[in-house]
Amino acid sequence: MLNIANWEVLAGREEPITTRLWVRLPEGRLRADIFVPANPQASVPPLLALHGISRAANALSTAFAPLTAAAGRVLIVPRFPPGDWPVFQRIGGARPDKPVLALLARLQAMGLADTRKVDLFGFSGGAQLAHRFAMLYPQHVAALHVAAAGWYCLPDDSVPFPMGLRTEANMVPPGKPDIAGLMRAQLSAFLKLPLRIYVGEDDRLRDPALRRDRRIDALQGRDRVARAHAFATAFKSAAHARGIVPTLSFTVLPGCGHDFPQCAQVAGLAAQVCGLSITKGDEYE
Amino acid sequence: MNEHLFARAKWAFSTRRATRAFASDLDQRWDEVVPGQLILGQVISIGQHGRMQLASGRPSTLYPGDLIVMPCGARYAPDQFEGVAEIDPKGCDMLAGGGCLGRMMYRNDRIKPPTRVQPLGRITAADGQVLDTMNFALPRATATPALPVIIVLGTAMNSGKTTATVALSHGLTLAGWRVATLKGTGTGSFGDFNHYLDAGSAFVADFTDAGMVTTYREPLARVAQGIRDLLAAAEDAGCDLAVMEIADGIFQRETAALIADPGFRTWASGVIFACGDAVAAAGGVAELARQGVHPLALTGLLSCSPMASAEALAATGVPVINRSQLLDPAEANRFAVQVGAQRVASAA
């Protein structure tokens, strides 16, 4: 493990570096493993990969690190400690966006990566956070990859937050931010982001980790496949309503359930995120 | 001999860009003094300013007999002095601790008379030219930069402009923007400047970097040129957007002239207005509307009171945002979007 006190020498790096950082904020701590390849390519944004509610960050590192190293891109894999972040998927009462921002700023300041724009990937609960983060801070995202989210915040201001972007009366406590309103303010920029949606072909179980809520069932569907389609449809519709041509793909991962290692090994999910294999899905048109 | 005087002297914050090695001699043609020229003086008596702000960024306690270097300048400060850029050879007034010598015309009843200074001479270079803050200013911008700018205006001094400027700059920085925090008008002082630095802004500058000791009584064209120079420097520093505080209230002469200038609406991408209560909010918003300026938000002392905020919102229709909201990266990010900030990743 690299001694982070030596960060000043890292700018001229020629050897790959793996290091671990902790971000400590009043909102909670965040751990992150950073993989800096040898001869990093300035033309490729770093990949920020967010785990799901199993918090299996190591599985993300295992799947992505060889690919990002080969492509000369930096890989950033945070882990939200469960004690600090019983819920990290949503931005509202909890603010997981803040330590993520702080992490990106730290890496930028250390010269380890240009984090002003990152490719953002999330699986399951990580996909929930990923798309919500991108809705608040689209300027930080080069491309958004969401895989197998349990449910979504739809870019639709006719649907109440957090399922959509309508701010209900008395929804926002005094002194707290109106997250839905802030997302609405950023919506056009969000809809211009390249969006890649992935979901396992067999990810149709209403398992205990899936949010089961009648309103979500009615609005987004009863399983992750249906909900992913609902998100894609809403994204496309919102973009078109604003005169934006969406850059959107939808990929069904054959032979895969709700299992990241399986998605990576069987369907090449990590390779697809890294753009190293031909997307098996169709453009969502 | 003079070199020893220059070396011993306390150089004020407003002279921080000056190259001290250029100081060679002194001249006493006081009838030719103009704002910005560097004056070597000796403290006669301590009044309102018992300390001065050094170029190094720390305050220095003053004693009678201290040698100081400050530029000649005017001062507008309703809670302190109004003064003009004139040097009386028999003794002049320290109009600002950040570095401003002149002649006091009026003072607020609640403060002491000014610290008095014996002027020893205008500082000249080896070629006899009087050193002036303009000699050390940022390069002149030839066009108005395209950098988005959020302007912070207010009803008066102490309405909360600096607090808002600093909080918004910090919130935007947390959101990942490269922020320039600038002071477009006012009197040279390290207080605000240091607050801007503490906010983590990528670039910090004020009108003294554009060569002015104070913008009071400066022609609009020069003030506007100074603002363009600051924005150009911020753009050169790779900033995505700027937050610029404009000193004093919207009725202050230079501030009013800036707002009334048609050019203001071309370079000011958005305005945040700081005020103390709902009546001030209503008056300020109406006055700004008269000039075609519509604030994005109200802030300042008003925002400390939920009841006053509600009254202001009802009276103006303009949302009120408090310090903690400005510090929130998600909230601050909204303003970046509203002024059209764009980020191009250097990796892209």
Side-chain angles (χ1 to χ4, degrees):
Chain A
M1 192 64 64
L2 186 84
N3 178 359
I4 204 58
N6 293 333
W7 68 269
E8 285 170 318
V9 305
L10 300 181
R13 59 198 174 257
E14 293 185 356
E15 297 297 320
I17 293 163
T18 301
T19 189
R20 175 169 289 182
L21 299 179
W22 281 91
V23 171
R24 292 176 172 83
L25 295 181
E27 289 81 3
R29 298 169 302 161
L30 181 67
R31 191 190 84 186
D33 289 332
I34 317 298
F35 303 85
V36 182
N39 304 312
Q41 301 298 303
S43 59
V44 195
L47 176 65
L48 171 62
L50 301 175
H51 60 68
I53 59 170
S54 65
R55 303 176 202 251
N58 287 345
L60 296 175
S61 300
T62 300
F64 280 114
L67 301 170
T68 53
R73 71 194 306 191
V74 175
L75 172 64
I76 306 161
V77 185
R79 184 175 186 277
F80 288 90
D84 293 23
W85 300 97
V87 175
F88 64 89
Q89 307 96 308
R90 298 192 296 279
I91 301 172
R95 294 297 301 273
D97 54 314
K98 290 189 176 182
V100 172
L101 288 171
L103 171 65
L104 296 178
R106 174 98 68 88
L107 295 173
Q108 181 82 27
M110 292 169 70
L112 279 179
D114 184 352
T115 58
R116 288 161 55 77
K117 276 187 187 286
V118 297
D119 276 6
L120 179 56
F121 169 82
F123 185 83
S124 189
Q128 290 193 46
L129 176 57
H131 80 276
R132 291 171 176 131
F133 183 91
M135 291 171 97
L136 268 185
Y137 308 104
Q139 82 277 2
H140 245 316
V141 180
L144 174 63
H145 301 261
V146 291
W151 61 290
Y152 296 83
C153 178
L154 302 180
D156 183 340
D157 56 16
S158 70
V159 176
F161 187 77
M163 288 181 292
L165 292 182
R166 192 174 81 215
T167 303
E168 298 278 68
N170 302 320
M171 174 195 275
V172 183
K176 295 291 183 185
D178 172 10
I179 296 294
L182 297 173
M183 287 176 169
R184 288 196 303 274
Q186 309 278 2
L187 190 52
S188 290
F190 171 70
L191 295 168
K192 290 174 185 170
L193 294 179
L195 170 63
R196 306 285 180 241
I197 301 172
Y198 312 85
V199 66
E201 180 184 35
D202 303 326
D203 197 349
R204 294 180 177 277
L205 286 179
R206 286 170 66 83
D207 54 71
L210 183 73
R211 178 78 172 259
R212 280 169 285 184
D213 178 300
R214 278 184 303 164
R215 292 169 303 171
I216 295 177
D217 288 351
L219 190 69
Q220 301 188 11
R222 289 178 53 81
D223 59 48
R224 293 186 181 88
V225 175
R227 292 175 183 181
H229 278 293
F231 182 55
T233 300
F235 186 93
K236 192 177 73 167
S237 173
H240 286 156
R242 287 162 180 77
I244 297 166
V245 178
T247 308
L248 167 65
S249 72
F250 191 100
T251 304
V252 175
L253 304 169
C256 294
H258 193 66
D259 182 325
F260 174 76
Q262 183 187 45
C263 291
Q265 290 162 15
V266 174
L269 173 57
Q272 292 192 48
V273 169
C274 291
L276 302 179
S277 69
I278 297 170
T279 300
K280 295 181 175 66
D282 297 318
E283 292 299 314
Y284 204 79
E285 288 292 338
Chain B
M1 187 172 65
N2 287 330
E3 287 84 347
H4 297 300
L5 295 179
F6 299 139
R8 276 189 54 201
K10 297 175 175 179
W11 290 63
F13 176 74
S14 57
T15 70
R16 70 189 181 283
R17 296 183 66 89
T19 304
R20 297 182 193 184
F22 290 171
S24 174
D25 212 339
L26 293 170
D27 102 3
Q28 283 84 28
R29 285 177 286 183
W30 297 114
D31 55 332
E32 296 178 16
V33 73
V34 295
Q37 291 183 337
L38 303 190
I39 311 293
L40 178 70
Q42 190 161 32
V43 175
I44 300 169
S45 60
I46 306 300
Q48 172 63 21
H49 291 104
R51 300 197 296 181
M52 66 176 281
Q53 300 176 354
L54 299 182
S56 61
R58 74 168 180 87
S60 173
T61 301
L62 288 171
Y63 299 92
D66 276 356
L67 292 170
I68 62 168
V69 175
M70 290 190 174
C72 174
R75 179 87 203 270
Y76 173 94
D79 64 355
Q80 285 196 11
F81 306 120
E82 182 180 6
V84 291
E86 296 174 6
I87 300 295
D88 182 338
K90 296 174 189 164
C92 60
D93 298 319
M94 187 178 292
L95 299 175
C100 182
L101 291 177
R103 178 171 65 82
M104 184 202 78
M105 296 193 299
Y106 304 104
R107 74 177 162 94
N108 188 297
D109 285 346
R110 290 179 295 182
I111 68 161
K112 298 175 186 173
T115 293
R116 295 283 290 167
V117 176
Q118 172 65 53
L120 301 180
R122 299 187 298 173
I123 300 176
T124 58
D127 63 359
Q129 189 180 350
V130 178
L131 296 183
D132 188 303
T133 49
M134 274 305 291
N135 300 143
F136 308 100
L138 290 165
R140 279 282 174 98
T142 52
T144 301
L147 193 69
V149 193
I150 301 170
I151 304 291
V152 181
L153 298 172
T155 47
M157 290 182 79
N158 304 321
S159 56
K161 296 183 299 293
T162 302
T163 298
T165 302
V166 169
L168 178 58
S169 298
H170 187 67
L172 289 166
T173 299
L174 290 178
W177 296 99
R178 276 184 66 83
V179 181
T181 308
L182 309 170
K183 190 157 187 183
T185 65
T187 300
S189 160
F190 68 35
D192 293 352
F193 193 93
N194 287 345
H195 285 312
Y196 297 172
L197 289 173
D198 292 346
S201 303
F203 180 81
V204 171
D206 69 9
F207 48 87
T208 62
D209 291 293
M212 289 172 279
V213 187
T214 161
T215 52
Y216 184 43
R217 302 172 80 93
E218 291 288 349
L220 173 63
R222 188 175 182 197
V223 175
Q225 178 66 48
I227 287 173
R228 282 195 292 276
D229 298 345
L230 295 178
L231 292 175
E235 205 167 56
D236 288 347
C239 292
D240 300 311
L241 78 169
V243 181
M244 180 182 288
E245 178 178 358
I246 300 294
D248 306 307
I250 55 176
F251 290 148
Q252 194 275 340
R253 186 166 70 177
E254 283 73 32
T255 301
L258 260 183
I259 297 167
D261 180 22
F264 179 79
R265 282 172 291 287
T266 64
W267 60 265
S269 319
V271 166
I272 292 177
F273 187 65
C275 47
D277 56 45
V279 174
V285 168
E287 176 62 19
L288 290 172
R290 207 171 61 79
Q291 304 291 355
V293 176
H294 304 282
L296 302 173
L298 302 174
T299 188
L301 295 174
L302 162 84
S303 64
C304 298
S305 163
M307 286 183 289
S309 298
E311 288 173 5
L313 175 62
T316 65
V318 181
V320 180
I321 189 157
N322 63 24
R323 177 176 175 272
S324 66
Q325 289 172 303
L326 290 168
L327 285 168
D328 187 311
E331 294 272 13
N333 213 30
R334 179 211 302 252
F335 293 104
V337 171
Q338 285 179 304
V339 300
Q342 300 276 335
R343 174 181 303 169
V344 179
S346 53

